[in-house]
Every structure is written in C-alpha cells, then in structure tokens.
Amino acid sequence: MNAPLNGTKPARASNSGDAVLDRYEPVIGLEVHCQLKTQTKLFCGCSTAFGAMPNHNTCPVCLGHPGVLPALNSEAVNFAIRFALAVGADIQETSVFARKQYFYPDLPKGYQITQYDLPYCTGGKLTLASGKTVRLIRAHLEEDAGKNVHGDESSYVDLNRAGVPLIEIVSHADIRTPEDAADYLKRLRSLVRSLEICDGNLEEGSFRCDANVSIRPRGQEKFGTRCEIKNLNSFRNIERAIKYEILRQADLLDHGQPVVQQTMLFDAASGKTHPMRSKEESHDYRYFPEPDLLPLRIDEARIQRQRETLPELPEAMARRFEEKHGLSAYDAAVLTSDKDLAGFYEAVVKRVGSAATEKIVANWVTSEYLREVNNRNWDLTNPPITADHLGELIELIGKSVISGRIAKTLFEEMAEKGPGKGPKAMVEAQGLIQVSDTSEIRNVVTKVLDANPEQLADYLGGRDKLFGFFVGQTMKVSGGKMNPQMVNDVLKELLDARRKG
Ligand code: ADP
Ligand code: MG
Ligand code: ZN
C-alpha cells in the first residue's frame, strides 16, 4: 500500500494524492548538514557558541583577511570519524580539502573550504523503521558560511557562524516515501546526538536538510528530473514539502510539461514550494584543491581510538531494550529514538526497582510522558517531571497506595505545575490514598446498589453488562480512590448474594 498523500493540495487540483502514487513512484535523496559541536571553528580558534553578539566570534582567518592561514581543528576530524564508524562507512586514509568558489555576502573569503572529489568518508548505511536500508554516498567535512540578517530597511551580515565545522551527509536516492524521508532524518539526528558530535537542533540550524525529489512512472527504471528543496526546518515541514513537491511534479508531467531541474524553497505558511534559482552545476564552482592545507591523513590508530570510545548506538540500544527490559520492538524504538528519553526511561526503571514494572514504565513514558513532552514542548535534557517523581508515582500504584486513575490525574497536575513536591507528598496533602478497606468498600457498594434499583433489577434479570455500570458508579462515588480490583471482587460477591437471595 502506498502512503496516502491526502491533505496536500496540488498546484492544479486535478490529482488526488492516492491516484498520483498509483501512477508515479517518488524517488528521494537527502543531503544533511550537521554542525559539529566542537568548542572552536574548523580552521581557527574562534568560539562556535550560538547566540553571541553578532560578529563577536570572528578573527582574521574566518573573516577571510588576506595572508592568513587555516589550521585544521583536530577535534572536528575526530567527530567526523565517529560518524563514519557509526554508519559503517569507509574512512579514507587520504582526503583533500577543496575551494568551492561563489560570491555571497555571508562568505567573506569568496570561497568555502569543503571536500569535493576526495571526501574523508564514503559508503555506509542507515536502516529505517520500515525495514528499508538507505545507503549513503558520502560524508565530507566543510566549513559553514555566515548569516545574512534582513531587517526592515537594511540587511546585515553576521559572521559568527562563518567557519563553524560541518559534516555534509549525502544519501543515495533510495527513499521512496515522504514518511521514510522524515524517519531517515529522525534516525540520523538521533545518531549524531548519541555520538555527541552534533546537538541536532533544527530550529537553530545545527541540523539542516535539503531534499532532492523526483518522480518516475511506476515500472520505469530511469530516475526522473529532480528538484532540490531547501529551507526545511522541522520534520513535519520536510514531509509536507516532499508531499507537495511530488504532487507538483505529477501535475506537470500529467499536463505534458517537463520538470525543470531547479532549487526550490519551501514556504511553511502556504505549504508550497517555490523556485529559488536554477540548479547550479558543480563546474560553476571552479573547485580546486585548497593550497593552504595539506591533504588530510587519517591513520588506523586514530580510527581505533575513536572506535574504542563510541557510545552504545541507537540500534544496539533498541535491541538491548527488547532483550533486557522485555519491551516490544515498537516501544524499544520509540524509547531509544533519543538518548535523553532512553536515559529517562532507564532512570525510572531503576527508581522503581522491580523487573515486573519495566513494561508498565514503558507505557507511562511512551504515552503519558511523551504526550506532555510534545504538548508542552519540554526539553528532554531537563524535563519538569523528573525520573525520580515518575518512578515514585508508579511505585505508589504498584503498592496500591493510589489507583491508576488517581495516578493519571496526579501526573497531569505535576505536568501542569512543573517541578515541586513529589507525588507521595501530593497524595498525602490531598488525601488521595486508595481505599483498600473491605468494609468501607462494602458500604459504598451497598449504597450504590440501593440507589439504582432499576439497573439492579435489570442486572438480576440477566443484563450482565450492567456490572461495569456499578463499578463505574462506585468509583465515582469514591472519587476514584477505591482499589478497583477490590471493588470488582466486592461487587461480584454482593450481586451474587442478591441473585441467590
Ligand atoms: P549535487 O552535487 O547537485 O547536489 P548529487 O549527485 O551529489 O548532486 O546528488 C545530491 C542528492 O540528490 C543525493 O542525495 C542523491 O541521492 C540525490 N539525487 C540524485 N538524483 C536524484 C533523482 N533523480 N531524484 C531524486 N534524488 C536524486
Ligand atoms: Mg547538493
Ligand atoms: Zn576565526
């Protein structure tokens, strides 16, 4: 089955998404720029800190003054090696930096130092949730450009970002659906974050993606003409942009018009892609080897040092969560999609301290907790509900101190109010302790039965379904505080007695 494209309007409303996918197959290749989180820039000692005063983090090297020399940041190379190892790529013993020439106000040197025909890393792959494997063409090291800032009347240039180290990761055009494209990016982001080489912040631009999209008639082997979409700053927008672009290209082909290879900008407000410029060819850049830098040599000993300090990678961690914590593949994938989320889960498990609760904790984290994370835009590195407090809450249910229902209400209150006293203190302060006293439960159940004579008569007459009604009434009368299992047992006993009597 093809993923539906409904909800995305084509340029001319002649195509429904599903019909387009019956006839055309999308082909997608992604280029990702990851900003390496080194302390200093790629070729000078300037700070890479985000948010500094404009042009504060600059020096003659990154400002492109004449006569200065670049000096390669060794930490950036180590980070780049870690990436290559994590995706099983080949690390080249010798690679070469090149000058890519173009004019733009945010590029003071008039060229960018990057790698061209001899990148440090080739091959590698990433496996998606759908089981699909996406092969990588290459990854290379390069410096970032500065930023043009457009005000109302004037434009400004901020060169703090000029010279910040990046790796550009280029995939083969192996992706076939917008959903897989988004999944690929999520996994890549999770990977570079767990490697601690990039903070993966899409809004701040430390993780940026360009999507190359083409379509071909189903059954045709040859790829169609592609367009490259830029300005994609959220996973949702990446999916929207690719969906729109597929419909736009199908509409052109259906009307006998060719797709023109060009660079498109995505406009999040309208959900449309617009042409930005005709596609530049690599010969336009007049690449040549950077004369101020030696070829980059990476020896086996250096690779080995990085290999030894690799953290547990998301895929391996997901396997461990399945085996050690007994989780489903789905829960394991969700929980390991982010290293902070995974750490949170394991901290809660440790706090509760019983193997029987690992799945229960997984349920709480993937449903209640993640819902609040998304709704309230929580920062996973510093969530307002701590692992300690969630652990305490789950423990209170396990010890039958509170019912699951009360626990959910408490959790919402904790989410609303943020860090404060823990659930135990809240339970005591609000008098929410679960009633597990049989005689008290019998009293309430008896009252409920007496207060609903019609339903009782129906039940005794054979409408077994009404059992749930009595459970609900009893819980309601007790404000959700009664032990549900005991309510069930007591109800059963009293109803059976009335049937017989
Ligand atoms: P460029 O140097 O112009 O960016 P590349 O050959 O390096 O071009 O390819 C860039 C990206 O475009 C890669 O991710 C590649 O997989 C993808 N790509 C190439 N051809 C197509 C196509 N016909 N449709 C979709 N993606 C494509
Ligand atoms: Mg490109
Ligand atoms: Zn500098």
Side-chain angles (χ1 to χ4, degrees), residues 193 340 369 373 376-384:
R193 279 173 50 81
D340 293 313
Y369 178 72
V373 166
R376 298 173 192 271
N377 230 339
W378 280 350
D379 175 5
L380 285 172
T381 57
N382 188 22

Side-chain angles (χ1 to χ4, degrees), residues 42-169:
L42 189 53
F43 299 116
C44 63
C46 290
S47 165
T48 55
F50 183 83
M53 279 260 293
N55 296 306
H56 191 75
N57 298 338
T58 56
C59 74
V61 173
C62 54
L63 290 175
H65 289 191
V68 297
L69 285 174
L72 181 60
N73 180 339
S74 152
E75 181 84 327
V77 177
N78 288 340
F79 283 8
I81 292 172
R82 293 165 81 73
F83 172 76
L85 288 172
V87 293
D90 295 320
I91 299 172
Q92 304 303 309
E93 217 180 306
T94 304
S95 61
V96 169
F97 286 101
R99 286 190 183 181
K100 177 180 182 180
Q101 347 269 334
Y102 62 93
F103 172 79
Y104 211 61
D106 63 13
L107 189 74
K109 292 202 294 281
Y111 60 85
Q112 176 193 24
I113 304 180
T114 178
Q115 296 189 308
Y116 180 51
D117 48 353
L118 295 169
Y120 86 95
C121 167
T122 56
K125 64 179 167 61
L126 213 65
T127 303
L128 307 186
S130 62
K132 165 129 208 144
T133 294
V134 179
R135 295 163 303 146
L136 305 183
I137 298 176
R138 59 186 271 158
H140 63 254
L141 266 163
E142 63 183 26
E143 58 176 342
D144 208 345
K147 233 188 224 169
N148 294 326
V149 184
H150 302 291
D152 287 341
E153 296 187 350
S154 319
S155 286
Y156 306 85
V157 180
D158 178 4
L159 294 173
N160 282 346
R161 209 180 61 185
V164 165
L166 305 174
I167 46 173
E168 179 173 346
I169 302 154

Side-chain angles (χ1 to χ4, degrees), residues 1-26 178 215 218 242-244 246-248 250-251 254:
M1 263 296 288
N2 298 319
L5 287 183
N6 293 333
T8 315
K9 287 232 175 61
R12 277 165 288 188
S14 60
N15 279 319
S16 94
D18 293 342
V20 162
L21 289 182
D22 284 340
R23 286 175 290 125
Y24 295 108
E25 182 178 43
I215 57 172
R218 289 210 173 259
I242 295 175
K243 285 180 181 174
Y244 179 83
I246 291 167
L247 296 184
R248 187 187 73 84
D251 201 57
D254 283 347

Side-chain angles (χ1 to χ4, degrees), residues 20 24-27 213-217 223-225 246 249-250 253 259:
V20 162
Y24 295 108
E25 182 178 43
V27 171
V213 179
S214 66
I215 57 172
R216 60 182 172 186
F223 285 168
T225 305
I246 291 167
Q249 293 182 13
L253 297 185
V259 173

Side-chain angles (χ1 to χ4, degrees), residues 377-396:
N377 230 339
W378 280 350
D379 175 5
L380 285 172
T381 57
N382 188 22
I385 289 189
T386 62
D388 214 37
H389 282 170
L390 180 54
E392 194 174 296
L393 187 69
I394 295 171
E395 201 177 48
L396 289 173

Side-chain angles (χ1 to χ4, degrees), residues 5 14 32 66 73 76 168 227 264 268 270 289 322 329 344 365 386 409 416 431 489 497 500-501:
L5 287 183
S14 60
V32 175
N73 180 339
E168 179 173 346
C227 285
M264 313 289 288
S270 67
E322 283 180 52
F344 182 85
V365 175
T386 62
T409 314
E416 179 71 38
D489 294 347
K500 282 184 197 132

Side-chain angles (χ1 to χ4, degrees), residues 28-30 123-124 134-138 170-175 184:
I28 304 160
L30 300 172
V134 179
R135 295 163 303 146
L136 305 183
I137 298 176
R138 59 186 271 158
V170 185
S171 85
H172 274 283
D174 282 348
I175 300 166
Y184 168 89

